[in-house]
Amino acid sequence: MRLEPHISIGPHPDLGVVAEVAAGNPHTEQVLRKHHFRQHPESGLYFLPSDAPYNRVLRAVTGAARVLQDAGLSVATDPRLMVPPPVPRSSGAPARKAVPAQSLTALTAELHTVDRAMDAAEILQELLDEDFGAMSELEQLISTTATWCERLDTDAGHELGSRLRTIANHVAFLGDRIADVEGDLAVMPEVIPASAPPLAATPARPHEDLLPRYGARAQAAVAASPHRPGHSPTAATPSSAAAPPPSGPARTR
């Protein structure tokens, strides 16, 4: 039985992310080069540029590992590669630590393993975590992108920044609505019946007819919620929501 992997991938103190090949294999070299690894002339290790962005490195590692494993080769990767770098911050601001297990993909996979309503609620709690949750990260990403656009110091940049900040408010509103569902799930004693098909085999219900029209969603996005004050001084009323749009020329974006 072979205990040593054919290829090992992990961080290197000087070269960045490297791949070590146990034995010469032209196919392995071809795959690594296709995924932007280059061979170091002295050590013989295959490495990625040390200044490559984290997401690009992660795509290169996972892509190469998948192809090599499909070819019947064993690949060992250092789990530290999954931890993204910290987000730069101003002096005095608290550091934001990354928690890879709370990625949306990981939470979705975890949802396939639980049967109790309260366990599903805990997964949503991780999504909504104010410090490490994906919803908070998404809101921060959009707000940071808005600031980036505003730093262009052009009319177009400021306009895009304003649009992005509106989107960030919509994300915050969405988080509040998910929090409402999480709270209801947390107090439910129900359990998925043993006779129910697996989640992956359960067809998704069509949702197009269940969602409000865009105008209603846009109106709800600026209304007050139990967790977040409204962004306008007066909330929408049923009479105003039901009023037909004024006649006039076609709307423009």
Side-chain angles (χ1 to χ4, degrees):
M1 178 181 293
R2 182 184 180 88
L3 299 179
E4 292 294 330
H6 294 99
I7 303 97
S8 300
I9 306 177
H12 188 279
D14 300 320
L15 301 179
V17 175
V18 301
E20 183 178 8
V21 181
N25 187 322
H27 176 68
T28 300
E29 179 180 354
Q30 180 182 4
V31 170
L32 291 175
R33 289 187 178 278
K34 181 178 179 181
H35 289 83
H36 311 293
F37 283 84
R38 296 294 179 264
Q39 189 171 26
H40 192 268
E42 299 178 2
S43 65
L45 297 172
Y46 292 85
F47 69 98
L48 293 169
S50 58
D51 58 348
Y54 165 76
N55 285 337
R56 191 175 303 169
V57 169
L58 195 59
R59 286 196 297 268
V61 171
T62 55
R66 186 180 300 113
V67 173
L68 293 169
Q69 289 172 336
D70 289 344
L73 301 174
S74 58
V75 182
T77 57
D78 192 312
R80 289 176 294 176
L81 295 177
M82 302 301 295
V83 180
V87 177
R89 66 188 193 280
S90 58
S91 59
R96 186 183 183 88
K97 298 180 180 179
V99 183
Q102 290 183 320
S103 71
L104 293 179
T105 300
L107 293 179
T108 302
E110 187 177 352
L111 194 60
H112 285 252
T113 67
V114 300
D115 296 323
R116 300 184 304 171
M118 62 184 65
D119 293 333
E122 290 184 1
I123 294 175
L124 291 183
Q125 284 180 356
E126 294 188 43
L127 170 69
L128 301 170
D129 188 280
E130 292 185 359
D131 295 320
F132 308 123
M135 290 297 297
S136 179
E137 289 186 350
L138 177 58
E139 186 177 355
Q140 182 190 44
L141 171 62
I142 296 173
S143 297
T144 303
T145 308
T147 302
W148 188 96
C149 290
E150 291 163 352
R151 289 172 63 235
L152 294 172
D153 200 21
T154 62
D155 290 342
H158 287 291
E159 194 271 338
L160 290 175
S162 177
R163 287 163 57 185
L164 285 167
R165 295 197 187 282
T166 300
I167 294 172
N169 288 336
H170 291 334
V171 172
F173 169 82
L174 177 61
D176 289 340
R177 300 286 69 77
I178 296 175
D180 293 340
V181 174
E182 180 272 324
D184 290 339
L185 279 172
V187 297
M188 290 173 55
E190 282 81 1
V191 177
I192 299 294
S195 58
L199 181 58
T202 304
R205 294 180 56 188
H207 61 275
E208 289 80 3
D209 296 336
L210 303 179
L211 293 175
R213 297 179 64 85
Y214 174 78
R217 295 203 305 271
Q219 188 177 57
V222 297
S225 71
H227 305 282
R228 185 182 300 274
H231 299 290
S232 59
T234 58
T237 61
S239 59
S240 63
S247 60
R251 292 180 297 172
T252 58
R253 293 183 63 185

